[in-house]
Amino acid sequence: MLETPEAVLDALRENDERPYGLPRTVRAEELVEAAGQFEDKGLLVTALLELMEAYEYTGEHRKSPVVFARLLQLWDEDRGAFNEWEGHQVYWRFKWVTTSLLEVPDVPLATIEQWIGRMRERYREAGHGMQPVAAMAHRVALHTGSGLESAYDLWVTRPRERLSDCEACEIRHRALHHVLLGEDEQALRIWAPLFAGAVSCQEEPYVSHAFALLPLLRTGRVDEARSHHLAGYRYARGRTGMAEEIGLHLEFCALTRNEGRGLEILAENRGLFEVTGAPKARLAFLTGLQVLLGRLVEQGYADTPVAGPPGRQWTARTLNEEIGTEADELAAAFDRRNGTAAVGERRRERLERRPVLDEPLALGLRVTPLTGPKDGGAAAEPVPVPAPATAHRVAVPEDFAELVAEARRLADRGHPGDTPLWERVAERVAADGYVHDPALGPLDLLLAELAEQRAFAEDERGGNGRDAMAEAAGLYARAGLPWHELAARARVACRPGAGKGHGEHGEGSADEPADEPAGEVADELADHLAVRRELEPLLELAERMLPGGDREPDADFRPDKYLVVLHCRAFAAHTELVDALPDAGPETAARFQEAVAALRAAAERWEVPHQVAAAHLYEADIAARTGRIEEAVERQRRSQEILEETGTPWRATRGMLLLGQILMRTGRPGEAAEVFRQAVARAARYDDRSFPATAVHAMLGHACRHAGELSGAVRHLSEAAARMEREGDHNGAAECRLELADALAASGQPEDAVAVLESVVREGGAESGGPLDERLLAQIRLTLARGLTELEEHRAAAEGFLSLADTVAGWEEQFTHTMVAAQAAAALARAGRHQAAGAARERALDSHRRAPSPVPVLEMLREFADLATRGEEEDLQAALGHLATADELLAGVPEDPEEFPHWYHAGHNHLCRARCLARAERFEEALAEADRADSRLAEGGPDGEAGRAETARLAALIEGNGLERPKGAVTRLDAAVRRCAGAGLEEAARILTALREDMASR
């Protein structure tokens, strides 16, 4: 009930806590009516200011000037009804009215100019400077395109005033001036301090994130553009007062070939279609949306369902047509009002924009793929995969005989460029009316070659090309080519069952194999025995067929085919040895050594260098797996040298991947990253479509993260995740995104990290990709909740922790539930939900008694203690009670310096108690606790120095300020600074030195 001024005031305070949106606005309107019934005009002033703010931040600019007119009338009638802050707001909100009037094309330009004149008079009468007035004149010029340069000069040459927009917002408007003139680099230079975090405000840098997207893309700074989109859209999502910014994010999706992401954004902001109070922002939103919809129509997705105004079903085509008509009318209305063509021209310019990238920019998000095409006739534009400008593209001859000859020549050299040629050969052979030319050799030969290529392609896709290779062997036999047949049969023999996932060229992971159940081990042994039984007679046959002595070589004899047989034996022996490690018997090791030695000897005899290189690579892999790292590196590099010396560098990429993995295992991530980069560049250079690009991007991102190259980690992990999603590996993509979030957080982009994780959690059970692994998804949700805590979004964090606690409650490892429950309780406390936090704390303690997880529970108790002595209702006794519980819990944890450092937690319990006592001004007790904290942390040696530095800082403040003993504080700080310098804690030493100088000056 709103029957007293106090009740209305309480309701105003409560409404101020609500997020901006329709419920807050409606309530603000009700409270203005309620406030108007009382004689206290001050209450009405407060209510009107609250209503005007609600209109401003929800895009209701048509209504805002009417509210301000009432405020201005009250100001003129009774200035005593305004407190100091409210009186300041009267002059401040003159600017809001200017921008609101500009938003509505029905308001004549002369009226806006008269309003700015009225603002100038009011400011002059009150003794305020004219810079804010000049800023408003520039806003009008920026919108109309008339007198822009002079208006800009009049604004920026004046000094800032008390009523000027905050520095962050002024930076945005200065930058936008240069964006409009096409001066992207200058705009980005102006924005630099804002994006570096030097200045900020309630809306910034989030609003500027949206406006900087296009300049960043046009200047090639795509990594920064990705970050601006992730953080900026996350802030704008669902805010009706940010329609223009959401339109810019939609346009960004179109320009970066992320149309699926754009449709998700549209669906999340469908409510914007019903917001009509800010026509200029609506026009900007509709135009950005049209850029996206136009892309969809161009690509053949015209009939794809999209989110549009409620009441009917929309497709990309029908919505584009509908909003196009409205937007054209709005643009024409603004141009009529302004007497210029600026608004319409800018709209046309936006609609003509096309993607600035040749392939989709990997955003790191899990996005629902596009469906379609739906229009029946048009074909969807394929996702382009451009080669670098330096790529050795192989020309595809038009003449069929030349095409086959070139494909065979490249295949003999192992050049990856043969793949598109064989694909074209296969199309021509499969076409109706194909007539075989005998000059190309027997038809069976050509069909065998195509079957062989199919087998290779199936292997590269992670399948098993056994059947296709067997088909090739049969066709070679019919063609009368025994050596070709023998090589194909050997390749069939070394592919048991569904395959083992080891490449024929010796590539593989340098990681240790996982433990396997006894049944699987037995199956592996049987498979390896079967392979040997198939290969042995083929090897014997090959030896009998070799030319030598009185035996003339077959017309079909080619040393490379004989070496394929030996390579298959080496491959099988390598596979068997890898599966047996680390407990391989001497017979298995001897088989491998014999097979590889035979391959190398024969390759050297017949002068086939790539097989010599393969032998080195097999030995390098086994050396890496058995801990002989330097030998592994040496053999891999020798393998690569051989291939480069003989003019076949494209064969070296798989070996480079092995080297990169070896370097990662030995703690050299920077070197590994460089090797992976070289491999990627080489594969692109030679158009190697069989190169495992997805896995390599993941490995490269991992290496970059460990090497501290965080921008590279973000780029490559984003790319890996996008590729895995397209390939159907949703769990792999989620794992990449989890690592990506870690890299983003470490690089100072916590909002980006949270946006990435939110996209995974949102789609975690989506039908399109199937549910993710339960434990992987739980880890992602845990990391997300912690990320929300870092962003101080405590309510959302608490909801995440609580939901996760329910998920893990049934897990066998109940200590996981204890950990999550403790973090949920702390998050609830930080969110101010004290009753729920208390109940959650008791649940966490109860869970700890059943399944101990001391670290998060101790951290929770210290958090509760710290919060109890902050804010308006300080409760020292509650704080000390929490810390007593923490001490009791700590005493019950068994001593184990390796697993649980008692000194650390005891020290931090004392440190937290010292803070709480200091806040209660019980300084002597606080200082004693700080000394106890220092004593316990000292037990940690070098690991305890960071905690001791913080303890010294707190103790010095207590001693110097609370107890007024600055000399003692100086002595304490001198010792602490020396310790920090010795421990390499430069930042801590700097902070303590500054405090020491302050204390010494007293």
Side-chain angles (χ1 to χ4, degrees), residues 109-178:
L109 191 61
T111 300
I112 300 171
E113 291 170 345
Q114 288 170 4
W115 177 258
I116 293 175
R118 189 176 178 188
M119 175 183 174
R120 181 182 294 108
E121 292 172 6
R122 290 272 186 165
Y123 273 43
R124 184 178 292 113
E125 289 171 2
H128 296 306
M130 292 295 108
Q131 195 261 12
V133 180
M136 293 302 101
H138 175 259
R139 298 281 181 85
V140 175
L142 195 68
H143 172 63
T144 64
S146 177
L148 183 57
E149 288 298 338
S150 59
Y152 182 76
D153 290 342
L154 286 171
W155 167 40
V156 298
T157 56
R158 280 181 162 84
R160 284 175 46 76
E161 305 283 349
R162 181 166 175 258
L163 286 167
S164 297
D165 281 345
C166 77
E167 187 177 356
C169 288
E170 286 213 338
I171 284 175
R172 177 178 80 242
H173 287 291
R174 286 174 56 208
L176 288 177
H177 173 87
H178 291 282

Coordinates of all heavy atoms in Angstrom, one line a residue, residues 109-178:
L109 N 13.3 19.9 -36.5 CA 14.6 20.3 -36.2 C 14.7 21.7 -35.6 O 15.5 21.9 -34.7 CB 15.5 20.3 -37.5 CG 17.0 20.4 -37.4 CD1 17.5 19.2 -36.6 CD2 17.7 20.5 -38.8
A110 N 13.8 22.6 -36.0 CA 13.8 23.9 -35.4 C 13.5 23.8 -33.9 O 14.1 24.6 -33.1 CB 12.8 24.8 -36.1
T111 N 12.6 22.9 -33.5 CA 12.3 22.7 -32.1 C 13.5 22.2 -31.3 O 13.8 22.7 -30.2 CB 11.2 21.7 -31.9 OG1 10.0 22.2 -32.6 CG2 10.8 21.4 -30.5
I112 N 14.3 21.3 -31.9 CA 15.5 20.8 -31.2 C 16.5 22.0 -31.1 O 17.2 22.1 -30.0 CB 16.1 19.6 -32.0 CG1 15.1 18.5 -32.1 CG2 17.4 19.2 -31.4 CD1 15.5 17.4 -33.1
E113 N 16.7 22.7 -32.1 CA 17.6 23.9 -32.0 C 17.2 24.9 -31.0 O 18.0 25.5 -30.3 CB 17.8 24.5 -33.4 CG 18.5 23.5 -34.4 CD 18.5 24.0 -35.8 OE1 17.6 24.9 -36.1 OE2 19.2 23.5 -36.7
Q114 N 15.9 25.1 -30.9 CA 15.4 26.0 -29.9 C 15.6 25.5 -28.5 O 16.0 26.2 -27.6 CB 13.8 26.2 -30.1 CG 13.5 27.1 -31.3 CD 12.0 27.1 -31.6 OE1 11.2 26.5 -30.9 NE2 11.6 27.7 -32.7
W115 N 15.5 24.2 -28.4 CA 15.7 23.6 -27.1 C 17.2 23.7 -26.6 O 17.5 24.0 -25.5 CB 15.4 22.1 -27.1 CG 15.7 21.4 -25.8 CD1 16.8 20.6 -25.5 CD2 15.0 21.5 -24.6 NE1 16.7 20.2 -24.2 CE2 15.6 20.8 -23.6 CE3 13.8 22.2 -24.2 CZ2 15.2 20.7 -22.3 CZ3 13.4 22.1 -22.9 CH2 14.0 21.4 -21.9
I116 N 18.1 23.6 -27.6 CA 19.6 23.7 -27.3 C 19.8 25.2 -26.9 O 20.6 25.5 -26.0 CB 20.4 23.3 -28.5 CG1 20.3 21.8 -28.7 CG2 21.9 23.7 -28.3 CD1 21.1 21.3 -29.9
G117 N 19.1 26.1 -27.6 CA 19.2 27.5 -27.2 C 18.7 27.8 -25.8 O 19.3 28.5 -25.0
R118 N 17.6 27.1 -25.4 CA 17.1 27.3 -24.1 C 18.0 26.7 -23.1 O 18.2 27.3 -22.0 CB 15.7 26.5 -24.0 CG 14.9 26.8 -22.8 CD 13.6 26.0 -22.9 NE 12.8 26.2 -21.6 CZ 11.7 25.5 -21.4 NH1 11.2 24.7 -22.3 NH2 11.0 25.7 -20.3
M119 N 18.7 25.6 -23.4 CA 19.7 25.0 -22.5 C 20.8 25.9 -22.3 O 21.3 26.1 -21.2 CB 20.1 23.7 -23.2 CG 21.3 22.9 -22.5 SD 21.8 21.5 -23.4 CE 23.2 21.0 -22.5
R120 N 21.2 26.6 -23.4 CA 22.3 27.5 -23.3 C 22.0 28.7 -22.4 O 22.8 29.1 -21.5 CB 22.7 28.1 -24.7 CG 23.8 29.1 -24.8 CD 24.1 29.6 -26.2 NE 24.5 28.6 -27.1 CZ 23.8 28.0 -28.1 NH1 22.5 28.5 -28.2 NH2 24.2 27.1 -28.8
E121 N 20.8 29.2 -22.5 CA 20.4 30.3 -21.6 C 20.3 29.8 -20.1 O 20.8 30.6 -19.3 CB 19.0 30.8 -22.0 CG 19.0 31.5 -23.4 CD 17.6 31.8 -23.8 OE1 16.6 31.5 -23.1 OE2 17.4 32.2 -25.0
R122 N 19.8 28.7 -19.9 CA 19.7 28.2 -18.5 C 21.1 28.0 -17.9 O 21.4 28.3 -16.8 CB 19.0 26.9 -18.5 CG 17.5 27.0 -18.8 CD 16.7 27.2 -17.5 NE 15.3 27.2 -17.7 CZ 14.4 27.1 -16.7 NH1 14.8 27.1 -15.5 NH2 13.1 27.1 -17.0
Y123 N 22.0 27.4 -18.7 CA 23.4 27.2 -18.3 C 24.1 28.5 -17.9 O 24.8 28.6 -16.9 CB 24.2 26.4 -19.3 CG 24.1 24.9 -19.2 CD1 22.8 24.3 -19.0 CD2 25.2 24.1 -19.3 CE1 22.7 22.9 -18.9 CE2 25.1 22.7 -19.2 CZ 23.8 22.1 -19.0 OH 23.7 20.8 -18.9
R124 N 23.9 29.5 -18.8 CA 24.5 30.8 -18.6 C 24.0 31.4 -17.4 O 24.8 32.0 -16.6 CB 24.3 31.7 -19.9 CG 25.0 33.0 -19.8 CD 24.8 33.9 -21.0 NE 25.4 33.3 -22.2 CZ 24.8 32.8 -23.3 NH1 23.5 32.8 -23.3 NH2 25.4 32.3 -24.3
E125 N 22.7 31.4 -17.2 CA 22.1 32.0 -16.0 C 22.6 31.4 -14.7 O 22.8 32.0 -13.7 CB 20.5 31.8 -16.0 CG 19.9 32.7 -17.1 CD 18.4 32.4 -17.2 OE1 17.9 31.5 -16.4 OE2 17.7 33.0 -18.1
A126 N 22.9 30.0 -14.8 CA 23.3 29.3 -13.6 C 24.8 29.4 -13.4 O 25.4 28.8 -12.5 CB 22.9 27.9 -13.6
G127 N 25.5 30.0 -14.4 CA 27.0 30.1 -14.3 C 27.7 28.9 -14.8 O 28.9 28.7 -14.4
H128 N 27.1 28.0 -15.5 CA 27.7 26.8 -16.0 C 28.4 27.1 -17.4 O 28.0 28.0 -18.1 CB 26.7 25.7 -16.2 CG 26.1 25.2 -14.9 ND1 26.8 24.8 -13.9 CD2 24.7 25.1 -14.6 CE1 26.0 24.5 -12.9 NE2 24.7 24.7 -13.3
G129 N 29.5 26.3 -17.7 CA 30.2 26.5 -18.9 C 29.4 25.9 -20.1 O 28.4 25.2 -20.0
M130 N 29.8 26.3 -21.3 CA 29.1 26.0 -22.5 C 29.5 24.7 -23.2 O 29.0 24.3 -24.3 CB 29.2 27.2 -23.5 CG 28.6 28.5 -23.1 SD 26.7 28.3 -23.0 CE 26.5 28.3 -21.2
Q131 N 30.5 24.0 -22.7 CA 31.0 22.8 -23.4 C 29.9 21.8 -23.6 O 29.8 21.2 -24.7 CB 32.2 22.2 -22.7 CG 33.0 21.2 -23.5 CD 32.6 19.8 -23.1 OE1 31.6 19.5 -22.4 NE2 33.4 18.8 -23.6
P132 N 29.1 21.5 -22.5 CA 28.0 20.5 -22.8 C 27.0 21.0 -23.8 O 26.4 20.1 -24.6 CB 27.3 20.4 -21.4 CG 28.4 20.9 -20.4 CD 29.1 22.0 -21.2
V133 N 26.8 22.3 -23.9 CA 25.8 22.8 -25.0 C 26.4 22.5 -26.3 O 25.8 22.1 -27.3 CB 25.6 24.3 -24.8 CG1 24.6 24.8 -25.8 CG2 25.0 24.5 -23.4
A134 N 27.7 22.8 -26.5 CA 28.4 22.5 -27.8 C 28.4 21.1 -28.1 O 28.3 20.7 -29.3 CB 29.9 23.0 -27.7
A135 N 28.5 20.2 -27.1 CA 28.4 18.8 -27.3 C 27.1 18.4 -27.9 O 27.0 17.5 -28.8 CB 28.7 18.0 -26.0
M136 N 26.0 19.0 -27.4 CA 24.7 18.7 -27.9 C 24.5 19.2 -29.4 O 23.9 18.5 -30.2 CB 23.6 19.3 -27.0 CG 23.5 18.7 -25.7 SD 23.2 16.9 -25.7 CE 24.8 16.2 -25.4
A137 N 25.1 20.3 -29.7 CA 25.0 20.9 -31.0 C 25.8 19.9 -32.0 O 25.4 19.7 -33.1 CB 25.6 22.3 -31.1
H138 N 26.9 19.3 -31.5 CA 27.6 18.4 -32.3 C 26.8 17.1 -32.6 O 26.8 16.5 -33.6 CB 28.9 18.0 -31.7 CG 29.7 16.9 -32.4 ND1 29.6 15.6 -32.0 CD2 30.4 17.0 -33.6 CE1 30.3 14.9 -32.9 NE2 30.8 15.7 -33.8
R139 N 26.0 16.7 -31.5 CA 25.1 15.5 -31.7 C 24.1 15.7 -32.9 O 23.9 14.8 -33.7 CB 24.3 15.2 -30.5 CG 25.2 14.9 -29.3 CD 25.7 13.4 -29.2 NE 26.4 13.3 -28.0 CZ 25.9 13.0 -26.8 NH1 24.6 12.7 -26.8 NH2 26.7 12.9 -25.8
V140 N 23.6 16.9 -32.9 CA 22.6 17.2 -34.0 C 23.4 17.2 -35.3 O 22.9 16.7 -36.3 CB 22.0 18.6 -33.7 CG1 21.1 19.0 -34.9 CG2 21.2 18.6 -32.4
A141 N 24.5 17.8 -35.4 CA 25.3 17.9 -36.7 C 25.7 16.5 -37.1 O 25.6 16.2 -38.3 CB 26.5 18.8 -36.5
L142 N 26.0 15.6 -36.1 CA 26.4 14.3 -36.5 C 25.3 13.5 -37.1 O 25.4 12.7 -38.0 CB 26.9 13.5 -35.2 CG 27.7 12.2 -35.4 CD1 29.0 12.5 -36.0 CD2 27.9 11.5 -34.1
H143 N 24.1 13.8 -36.6 CA 22.9 13.1 -37.1 C 22.5 13.6 -38.4 O 22.1 12.9 -39.4 CB 21.7 13.3 -36.1 CG 20.4 12.8 -36.6 ND1 20.1 11.5 -36.8 CD2 19.3 13.5 -36.8 CE1 18.9 11.4 -37.2 NE2 18.3 12.6 -37.2
T144 N 22.5 14.9 -38.6 CA 22.0 15.5 -39.9 C 23.1 15.6 -40.9 O 22.7 15.7 -42.1 CB 21.5 17.0 -39.6 OG1 22.6 17.8 -39.2 CG2 20.4 17.0 -38.5
G145 N 24.3 15.6 -40.5 CA 25.4 15.7 -41.5 C 25.7 17.1 -41.9 O 26.5 17.4 -42.9
S146 N 25.0 18.1 -41.3 CA 25.2 19.5 -41.7 C 26.0 20.2 -40.6 O 25.7 20.2 -39.4 CB 23.8 20.1 -41.7 OG 23.9 21.5 -42.0
G147 N 27.1 20.9 -41.1 CA 27.9 21.7 -40.3 C 28.7 20.9 -39.3 O 29.0 21.3 -38.2
L148 N 29.1 19.6 -39.7 CA 29.7 18.7 -38.8 C 31.1 19.1 -38.2 O 31.3 19.1 -37.0 CB 29.8 17.3 -39.4 CG 30.3 16.2 -38.6 CD1 29.5 16.0 -37.3 CD2 30.3 14.9 -39.4
E149 N 31.9 19.5 -39.2 CA 33.3 19.9 -38.7 C 33.3 21.1 -37.8 O 34.0 21.1 -36.8 CB 34.2 20.2 -40.0 CG 34.5 18.9 -40.8 CD 35.3 17.9 -40.0 OE1 36.0 18.3 -39.0 OE2 35.3 16.7 -40.3
S150 N 32.6 22.1 -38.1 CA 32.6 23.3 -37.2 C 32.0 23.0 -35.9 O 32.5 23.4 -34.9 CB 31.8 24.4 -37.9 OG 30.5 24.1 -38.2
A151 N 30.9 22.2 -35.9 CA 30.3 21.8 -34.6 C 31.3 21.0 -33.8 O 31.4 21.2 -32.5 CB 29.0 21.0 -34.8
Y152 N 32.1 20.1 -34.4 CA 33.1 19.3 -33.7 C 34.1 20.2 -33.1 O 34.5 20.1 -31.9 CB 33.7 18.3 -34.7 CG 34.7 17.4 -34.0 CD1 34.3 16.3 -33.2 CD2 36.0 17.5 -34.2 CE1 35.2 15.5 -32.6 CE2 37.0 16.7 -33.6 CZ 36.5 15.6 -32.8 OH 37.4 14.8 -32.3
D153 N 34.6 21.2 -33.9 CA 35.6 22.1 -33.4 C 35.2 22.9 -32.2 O 35.9 23.1 -31.2 CB 36.1 23.0 -34.5 CG 36.9 22.3 -35.6 OD1 37.4 21.1 -35.3 OD2 37.0 22.8 -36.7
L154 N 33.9 23.4 -32.3 CA 33.4 24.2 -31.2 C 33.2 23.4 -29.9 O 33.3 23.9 -28.8 CB 32.0 24.7 -31.6 CG 32.0 25.9 -32.6 CD1 30.6 26.2 -33.1 CD2 32.7 27.1 -32.0
W155 N 33.0 22.1 -30.1 CA 32.9 21.2 -28.9 C 34.2 20.8 -28.3 O 34.5 21.1 -27.1 CB 32.1 20.0 -29.3 CG 32.1 18.9 -28.3 CD1 32.0 19.0 -26.9 CD2 32.2 17.5 -28.6 NE1 32.1 17.7 -26.3 CE2 32.2 16.8 -27.3 CE3 32.4 16.7 -29.7 CZ2 32.3 15.4 -27.2 CZ3 32.4 15.3 -29.6 CH2 32.4 14.7 -28.4
V156 N 35.1 20.2 -29.1 CA 36.3 19.6 -28.5 C 37.4 20.7 -28.1 O 38.3 20.4 -27.4 CB 37.0 18.6 -29.5 CG1 36.0 17.5 -29.8 CG2 37.4 19.3 -30.8
T157 N 37.2 21.9 -28.6 CA 38.2 22.9 -28.2 C 37.9 23.6 -26.9 O 38.7 24.4 -26.4 CB 38.3 24.0 -29.4 OG1 37.0 24.6 -29.6 CG2 38.9 23.4 -30.6
R158 N 36.7 23.3 -26.4 CA 36.3 23.9 -25.1 C 36.7 23.0 -24.0 O 36.7 21.8 -24.1 CB 34.8 24.1 -25.0 CG 34.2 25.3 -25.8 CD 32.7 25.4 -25.6 NE 32.3 26.8 -25.9 CZ 32.0 27.2 -27.1 NH1 32.1 26.4 -28.2 NH2 31.6 28.4 -27.3
P159 N 37.1 23.5 -22.8 CA 37.5 22.7 -21.7 C 36.3 22.0 -21.1 O 35.1 22.5 -21.2 CB 38.1 23.7 -20.7 CG 37.4 25.0 -21.0 CD 37.2 25.0 -22.5
R160 N 36.5 20.8 -20.5 CA 35.4 20.1 -19.9 C 34.9 20.8 -18.7 O 35.6 21.5 -18.0 CB 35.9 18.7 -19.5 CG 36.1 17.7 -20.6 CD 36.7 16.4 -20.2 NE 36.1 15.8 -19.0 CZ 34.9 15.2 -18.9 NH1 34.2 15.1 -20.1 NH2 34.4 14.8 -17.8
E161 N 33.6 20.6 -18.4 CA 32.9 21.3 -17.3 C 32.3 20.3 -16.4 O 32.3 19.1 -16.7 CB 31.7 22.2 -17.9 CG 32.2 23.2 -18.9 CD 32.9 24.4 -18.3 OE1 32.8 24.5 -17.1 OE2 33.5 25.2 -19.1
R162 N 31.8 20.8 -15.3 CA 31.2 19.9 -14.3 C 30.0 19.1 -14.9 O 29.7 18.0 -14.5 CB 30.7 20.7 -13.1 CG 30.1 19.9 -12.0 CD 30.0 20.7 -10.7 NE 29.3 20.0 -9.6 CZ 28.0 20.2 -9.3 NH1 27.3 21.2 -9.9 NH2 27.4 19.5 -8.3
L163 N 29.3 19.8 -15.8 CA 28.1 19.2 -16.5 C 28.4 18.5 -17.8 O 27.5 18.0 -18.5 CB 27.0 20.2 -16.7 CG 26.3 20.7 -15.4 CD1 25.5 21.9 -15.7 CD2 25.4 19.6 -14.9
S164 N 29.7 18.4 -18.1 CA 30.1 17.6 -19.3 C 29.8 16.1 -19.1 O 29.8 15.6 -18.0 CB 31.5 17.8 -19.6 OG 31.9 19.1 -19.9
D165 N 29.5 15.5 -20.2 CA 29.4 14.0 -20.1 C 30.7 13.4 -19.5 O 31.7 14.1 -19.6 CB 29.2 13.4 -21.5 CG 27.7 13.5 -22.0 OD1 26.9 13.8 -21.2 OD2 27.5 13.3 -23.2
C166 N 30.6 12.3 -18.9 CA 31.8 11.7 -18.3 C 32.8 11.5 -19.4 O 32.5 11.4 -20.6 CB 31.4 10.3 -17.6 SG 31.2 9.0 -18.8
E167 N 34.1 11.3 -19.0 CA 35.2 11.3 -20.0 C 35.0 10.1 -20.9 O 35.3 10.1 -22.1 CB 36.5 11.2 -19.2 CG 37.7 11.3 -20.2 CD 39.0 11.3 -19.4 OE1 39.0 11.3 -18.2 OE2 40.1 11.3 -20.1
A168 N 34.5 8.9 -20.4 CA 34.4 7.7 -21.2 C 33.3 8.0 -22.3 O 33.6 7.6 -23.4 CB 33.9 6.6 -20.3
C169 N 32.2 8.6 -22.0 CA 31.2 8.8 -23.0 C 31.7 9.9 -24.0 O 31.4 9.8 -25.2 CB 29.9 9.3 -22.3 SG 29.0 8.0 -21.5
E170 N 32.4 10.9 -23.6 CA 32.9 11.9 -24.5 C 33.9 11.2 -25.5 O 34.0 11.5 -26.7 CB 33.6 13.0 -23.8 CG 32.6 13.9 -23.1 CD 33.1 15.4 -23.1 OE1 34.3 15.6 -23.2 OE2 32.2 16.3 -23.0
I171 N 34.7 10.3 -25.0 CA 35.6 9.6 -25.9 C 34.9 8.8 -26.9 O 35.2 8.9 -28.1 CB 36.5 8.6 -25.0 CG1 37.6 9.3 -24.3 CG2 37.1 7.5 -25.9 CD1 38.4 8.5 -23.3
R172 N 33.7 8.2 -26.5 CA 32.9 7.5 -27.5 C 32.4 8.4 -28.6 O 32.5 8.1 -29.8 CB 31.7 6.8 -26.9 CG 30.8 6.1 -27.9 CD 29.7 5.4 -27.2 NE 28.6 6.3 -26.8 CZ 28.2 6.5 -25.6 NH1 28.8 6.0 -24.5 NH2 27.2 7.3 -25.3
H173 N 31.9 9.6 -28.2 CA 31.4 10.5 -29.2 C 32.4 11.1 -30.1 O 32.2 11.4 -31.3 CB 30.5 11.6 -28.5 CG 29.2 11.0 -28.0 ND1 28.2 10.6 -28.9 CD2 28.8 10.8 -26.8 CE1 27.2 10.1 -28.1 NE2 27.5 10.2 -26.9
R174 N 33.6 11.4 -29.6 CA 34.7 11.9 -30.4 C 35.1 10.8 -31.4 O 35.4 11.1 -32.6 CB 35.9 12.3 -29.5 CG 35.7 13.6 -28.7 CD 36.9 13.8 -27.8 NE 38.1 13.8 -28.5 CZ 39.3 13.4 -28.0 NH1 39.4 13.0 -26.7 NH2 40.4 13.5 -28.7
A175 N 35.2 9.6 -30.9 CA 35.6 8.5 -31.9 C 34.5 8.3 -33.0 O 34.8 8.1 -34.1 CB 35.7 7.2 -31.1
L176 N 33.2 8.4 -32.6 CA 32.2 8.2 -33.6 C 32.2 9.3 -34.7 O 31.9 9.0 -35.8 CB 30.8 8.2 -32.9 CG 30.4 7.0 -32.0 CD1 29.1 7.2 -31.3 CD2 30.4 5.8 -32.9
H177 N 32.6 10.4 -34.3 CA 32.8 11.5 -35.3 C 33.8 11.0 -36.4 O 33.5 11.2 -37.6 CB 33.3 12.8 -34.6 CG 33.7 13.9 -35.6 ND1 32.8 14.8 -36.0 CD2 34.9 14.2 -36.2 CE1 33.4 15.6 -36.9 NE2 34.6 15.3 -37.0
H178 N 34.9 10.4 -36.0 CA 35.9 10.0 -37.0 C 35.4 8.7 -37.7 O 35.8 8.5 -38.9 CB 37.2 9.8 -36.3 CG 37.8 11.1 -35.8 ND1 38.5 11.9 -36.7 CD2 37.9 11.7 -34.6 CE1 38.9 13.0 -36.0 NE2 38.5 12.9 -34.7

